[in-house]
Every structure is written in structure tokens, then in C-alpha cells.
Amino acid sequence: MGRASAQRKRLSVIAGVLAAAVVGGLVYLLVPMGRSNEGAPEQQGKAQDNPFATMARRTPGDPMALGRQDAPVVMIDYSDYRCPFCAKFTRDLKPELVKRYVDTGVLRIEWRDFPIFGAESFDTARAGRAAAAQGKFWQYMDVVHRDAPQSGHPELPREKLVGYAGQAGIADIPRFESDMDNPATLGAVQADAAEGSRLGVPTTPAFLINGNPVLGAQPLDRFIDTIEKARTAAR
């Protein structure tokens, strides 16, 4: 077995473990938190009441984050590029949230890789980070999700991932491929995946808005309501 084949087999195993964790009931770590917050919105966003409220990294210059580092509300997005609902969020909801809240300094969005749909999910996460290294993370994600089907998991072989890099305006394609293949890039993806698994992320997309979970591509009003409550609590 060649090195590339062995790596892809290993990634498939890791993805299978993550998927098994999702199916296996780790959801209880998030769902009870969500239910308790429904009855006590005034508590949203307070770290002393919500252990997930401290998950924001607020890393200066993070190319995989949108919005001010000191924004009062941080939405962490655990996603898989091959998830059709993640693509729907990118296409239909993210632009409005950026316009309403990111551009006005209220919201910061931080991406987390949570690849659960096989080796190609890991490959695409690595490609996203390679795009981020050239300041084109969000453009790359937009290209991938714009081309995604309405349902099902798209096939994303390497040649398609490299083609998307050109569409996203990435100038140095050889560097993009080198960064994609860098073991450190895979390590960063795996670290995000491990974080999500420890938290019990039950599905993709899954969001923590100042620690308060929103699961799936919910209607825009659900995001607005949660962000507004978190904004009020953060004052």
C-alpha cells in the first residue's frame, strides 16, 4: 500500500470514529444545555453559568475567523465541507449574519473543522487551511459550497480541490498544494475534530453562540434571536 493510500485509509478510520461518536449519543453534552437555556435566556453568554462560553479563541489575525477580535458575541461553527446543510448555511444565512452583525462589530464567526463524512472531508478541510495560509479561507469555502448539491455529500477529489483554489483567487497554487500536504495542516484539522468530539458535537453544522448551542441549519430568525440574547447578556 502506498503512502497516500495509507493516509487516506487512516483518515477514513478517523472520520468513522467521529461519525460513530456523533451517532453514539454524545449529543447529551449539548442538548441539555440548549434546553436549559430555553427557559432562562437572561443567563445566555455568561461564562459562569455556561462552560461552553469560554470556547472562543479570539486569535489575533486568525484567517479562519470573521469579525472583530473583541466582538461581544462569538459564534463558533463546527462544520464539514461535504455537509449539505453546512453549504446551505454558507449560501443562505451567513451573508445576512455578516451584514447584520459581523460588519457592525457585534459578531465574530470562528470556524472549526469537524470532518465526519470520510477521507474527502479531511482532504477538503486541509485544502481550506491551505487557502487560509494565503488569506483566502472564506473565499475558498464560498466556492466549495456554491458548487455543492442541494442534498447528499459531493465528491471532492484532489483535482477538484485544486481547481477551486483557482476560482477562489489563490495565486500560488504550488504553495497551496504544499500547504495542503503539510503534516501540520492535517494536525490542525485533527485538533479541531478532537475538540468537537470532546464537546459532544452531535451534527454538522453545529454552532456555539457565546456558548449557547444552535444545531443544524436553523432558520435565520433562530440565529438572530440567539445572537441578540447573547449580545444583551454580554453588556
Side-chain angles (χ1 to χ4, degrees):
M1 180 182 295
R3 180 179 179 182
S5 296
Q7 183 184 59
R8 288 183 64 80
K9 182 177 180 180
R10 182 162 61 91
L11 293 179
S12 293
V13 171
I14 293 171
V17 170
L18 289 173
V22 169
V23 176
L26 289 175
V27 64
Y28 81 94
L29 289 174
L30 283 175
V31 170
M33 179 71 70
R35 289 174 179 168
S36 66
N37 282 337
E38 288 175 5
E42 71 278 3
Q43 299 298 320
Q44 291 192 7
K46 295 183 179 180
Q48 65 267 34
D49 299 313
N50 187 338
F52 298 132
T54 60
M55 295 302 300
R57 294 171 184 168
R58 298 185 184 270
T59 303
D62 184 356
M64 297 171 66
L66 282 176
R68 288 171 37 181
Q69 184 184 347
D70 62 347
V73 182
V74 177
M75 181 171 75
I76 301 172
D77 176 2
Y78 292 91
S79 285
D80 184 318
Y81 286 89
R82 299 181 68 221
C83 162
F85 299 105
C86 300
K88 177 177 175 60
F89 173 81
T90 295
R91 292 191 302 256
D92 299 344
L93 301 180
K94 181 168 70 70
E96 184 63 26
L97 294 180
V98 169
K99 178 181 176 182
R100 288 192 185 211
Y101 295 113
V102 175
D103 291 347
T104 57
V106 173
L107 179 68
R108 176 179 174 87
I109 301 175
E110 295 186 356
W111 173 274
R112 301 287 193 272
D113 289 307
F114 198 64
I116 57 174
F117 297 115
E120 286 189 347
S121 292
F122 274 90
D123 292 345
T124 314
R126 290 161 51 214
R129 287 179 176 271
Q134 296 190 49
K136 296 290 185 179
F137 171 77
W138 297 98
Q139 294 89 331
Y140 190 82
M141 189 214 309
D142 287 345
V143 168
V144 174
H145 282 166
R146 187 169 62 238
D147 196 42
Q150 293 295 321
S151 62
H153 310 302
E155 294 185 6
L156 296 174
R158 186 182 181 94
E159 58 269 22
K160 184 176 282 190
L161 299 179
V162 174
Y164 286 149
Q167 295 178 43
I170 294 172
D172 192 339
I173 298 300
R175 177 189 168 192
F176 170 83
E177 292 197 72
S178 177
D179 287 338
M180 184 177 168
D181 294 336
N182 190 324
T185 302
L186 175 59
V189 173
Q190 291 174 326
D192 270 6
E195 176 186 284
S197 183
R198 286 195 304 271
L199 288 177
V201 171
T203 187
T204 57
F207 306 90
L208 290 175
I209 301 176
N210 278 16
N212 299 285
V214 175
L215 305 179
Q218 296 290 330
L220 179 63
D221 287 348
R222 172 70 185 279
F223 286 95
I224 290 173
D225 180 65
T226 308
I227 291 168
E228 289 292 348
K229 288 176 179 176
R231 179 185 191 179
T232 299
R235 288 174 181 166

